[in-house]
Amino acid sequence: MKWACLALAGILALTACQSGEDRAIAELTQAEQAGEIAGAHSIRVADAEPTRLLRSSITPESRFRIASLTKVLTQIAILRLADQGELSLDQSLASLRPNLRAEWPETVTIRHLLNFSSGLPHELGNEGEGVRFDARGSALAFMDAQTESGPRFPPGSRTAYSNLGYLHLGAVIEAVTGQTYAEAIHTLVSQPVGLTETGFGRDDLGEDGHLHGWEGDPPVQVSGHPISQRYSSGGLHASLRDMERLSAALQEEDFLSPAAQDEFFTQFGRPDARDPAYMMATGHVPGFTHAWLVSRDPEFTIISLNNAIAGNPRVIPDTVTRAGSAFLPSLAERRDRYRPTASDGWTAIRGFDDMPDHDLREGLTATLNAILSGSEQQARDALMRLHGLDPTTADEADLEDFSGFARGHIRITAAFGPFHPIAWRLDGERLQIYLESEDNQRGIHFAAQPSDHNPAVASTVSLGTYGFDP
């Protein structure tokens, strides 16, 4: 394998190995030796055997929580149902989920949900408890009861990342197939492709090849939280070997029709979709960060599954982009990022004091100041108070969880800062504040959703980043 060429010649002194594949391998190898990626990685060109880089004790069959890469398998399941004539991408949500009794599902189509233009909120509005399942393992009845969280802008008018939209897609899959989401993924995706290490909702880790996730230096295990409640937006696990098999199947007409492949690579008509020659997806949950690049012209795949993140997790998609640029140079050039505009409801500010009164303003700005200070304890305590918890009386589990959140936020702001606030807006009830780096190349927005019980306390706090990924 070409890996041997790298080992013999040395990464920085290659003379004989100069193909695009070799340059891509060198990028991953350098990142692995620098501690920027750690897990299971592979590069595959056309129909050749994949070249793999595996961390000690990890095999191609080891199972990772794949986080938001789950959404790609949800997309594939929907496309397979469309190919089978079971649904249309331009069909309304209401027509497929008649028990979702509200007016807004009439205005939201499957395409809107797939391409993040539905206008639905980022998360469920049930105090962060996640999706609930009946005794059979179905979430359809629970999702049919989620009638209150409708679109916050006209569907199709713009895009905004929404985990909730993909939860509704999981329920669509259940409604159309009569199966649970886990069963449908097996029937529509795993079984046809021959995936043997892919499944749903494994909450206990450490056995049967299911890996724990680690963060920090020295590493701390942070993967004790349940994953099943993330459902069709983030609840699957998979191995490197299965991801390789699925990547190859995406361009096989007996798995996805040419029309379905076109929908997939153009991200279902998403207005800000990247070059339709390729698809790149990322995923992150505590302890796991991944990047997955599939190109159809030229044909290659790069997969990076990571369960030990010592530094900034945003380095991982950057590494995959650099590796992919060895085959597709235009990848390195696609770094335009979102900027807040008045047309999207943002109001410019020079500091937090420019913001008007809002029930969550004091708590959210105190949290951001603590994060920007770089103090993990201050950030942890501010995050806890924002969520209505007293850090002086909290139990050990809550302190550990919020310390992990604080570390993650601080890593991002410290690595690419300093950051300063430049805009705020209300997205429905959610208070959002946008921070920009001093070099104007990167942006972060924090969003706080008020609790139903106390509007000065956040039920959820989310973070979005721009300019970090390709």
Side-chain angles (χ1 to χ4, degrees), residues 119-174:
L120 294 181
H122 186 272
E123 300 285 359
L124 272 171
N126 65 324
E127 299 297 320
E129 294 177 2
V131 171
R132 300 171 193 167
F133 302 88
D134 63 18
R136 182 171 154 261
S138 170
L140 179 57
F142 174 80
M143 290 306 303
D144 279 346
Q146 306 306 310
T147 58
E148 298 299 319
S149 297
R152 302 194 169 179
F153 55 80
S157 64
R158 61 183 177 93
T159 61
Y161 194 83
S162 174
N163 283 322
L164 178 56
Y166 271 77
L167 300 181
H168 278 295
L169 285 171
V172 166
I173 292 169
E174 292 198 19

Side-chain angles (χ1 to χ4, degrees), residues 114-381:
L114 288 165
N115 69 18
F116 297 105
S117 68
S118 68
L120 294 181
H122 186 272
E123 300 285 359
L124 272 171
N126 65 324
E127 299 297 320
E129 294 177 2
V131 171
R132 300 171 193 167
F133 302 88
D134 63 18
R136 182 171 154 261
S138 170
L140 179 57
F142 174 80
M143 290 306 303
D144 279 346
Q146 306 306 310
T147 58
E148 298 299 319
S149 297
R152 302 194 169 179
F153 55 80
S157 64
R158 61 183 177 93
T159 61
Y161 194 83
S162 174
N163 283 322
L164 178 56
Y166 271 77
L167 300 181
H168 278 295
L169 285 171
V172 166
I173 292 169
E174 292 198 19
V176 171
T177 64
Q179 298 178 307
T180 66
Y181 176 75
E183 292 167 342
I185 289 296
H186 178 75
T187 301
L188 293 166
V189 183
S190 296
Q191 195 171 50
V193 179
L195 308 184
T196 55
E197 292 98 36
T198 296
F200 172 73
R202 180 65 178 248
D203 288 337
D204 55 318
L205 303 179
E207 298 179 356
D208 303 324
H210 288 270
L211 300 172
H212 282 291
W214 307 79
E215 291 184 2
D217 186 13
V220 177
Q221 187 177 301
V222 294
S223 54
H225 60 287
I227 200 70
S228 55
Q229 62 185 354
R230 296 177 185 265
Y231 189 41
S232 47
S233 74
L236 291 175
H237 59 261
S239 67
L240 179 67
R241 183 173 68 173
D242 275 1
M243 296 296 289
E244 292 168 346
R245 289 169 171 167
L246 183 57
S247 300
L250 288 172
Q251 301 187 65
E252 296 174 358
E253 292 186 12
D254 59 349
F255 181 63
L256 286 182
S257 69
Q261 291 179 28
D262 286 343
E263 291 283 5
F264 178 79
F265 281 100
T266 60
Q267 286 298 282
F268 313 95
R270 183 174 176 177
D272 56 349
R274 301 180 177 101
D275 188 330
Y278 69 91
M279 179 283 300
M280 184 164 177
T282 61
H284 175 74
V285 291
F288 298 89
T289 297
H290 316 303
W292 180 20
L293 173 61
V294 182
S295 172
R296 58 176 175 174
D297 184 21
E299 188 177 340
F300 69 92
T301 299
I302 302 175
I303 303 165
S304 180
L305 305 179
N306 299 269
N307 74 320
I309 299 119
N312 184 352
R314 295 289 168 177
V315 171
I316 292 166
D318 283 345
T319 298
V320 170
T321 299
R322 289 195 305 271
S325 298
F327 302 101
L328 192 64
S330 62
L331 272 168
E333 300 165 4
R334 302 190 66 81
R335 293 182 174 271
D336 292 341
R337 70 166 179 83
Y338 173 80
R339 282 184 169 82
T341 62
S343 62
D344 277 346
W346 293 95
T347 299
I349 57 175
R350 293 185 177 182
F352 296 130
D353 290 341
D354 292 344
M355 294 174 56
D357 288 336
H358 184 277
D359 287 326
L360 285 173
R361 173 190 156 181
E362 181 177 348
L364 183 56
T365 57
T367 299
L368 297 186
N369 277 322
I371 291 169
L372 295 174
S373 78
S375 168
E376 180 181 323
Q377 181 174 338
Q378 289 181 29
R380 180 202 69 188
D381 291 353

Side-chain angles (χ1 to χ4, degrees), residues 377-456:
Q377 181 174 338
Q378 289 181 29
R380 180 202 69 188
D381 291 353
L383 276 166
M384 294 185 76
R385 285 191 288 268
L386 180 58
H387 284 83
L389 300 174
D390 184 350
T392 64
T393 59
D395 62 36
E396 202 61 37
D398 282 336
L399 290 170
E400 183 178 342
D401 285 346
F402 280 89
S403 290
F405 299 145
R407 282 195 299 272
H409 296 337
I410 289 171
R411 275 201 302 270
I412 293 174
T413 55
F416 296 99
F419 286 84
H420 60 278
I422 66 166
W424 77 277
R425 74 173 177 184
L426 283 177
D427 184 12
E429 295 178 339
R430 293 168 77 219
L431 176 62
Q432 297 185 338
I433 301 176
Y434 194 101
L435 311 178
E436 192 168 68
S437 60
E438 225 171 45
D439 61 5
N440 301 321
Q441 296 303 304
R442 294 176 173 88
I444 303 174
H445 88 256
F446 288 82
Q449 174 74 30
S451 164
D452 292 336
H453 308 300
N454 181 352

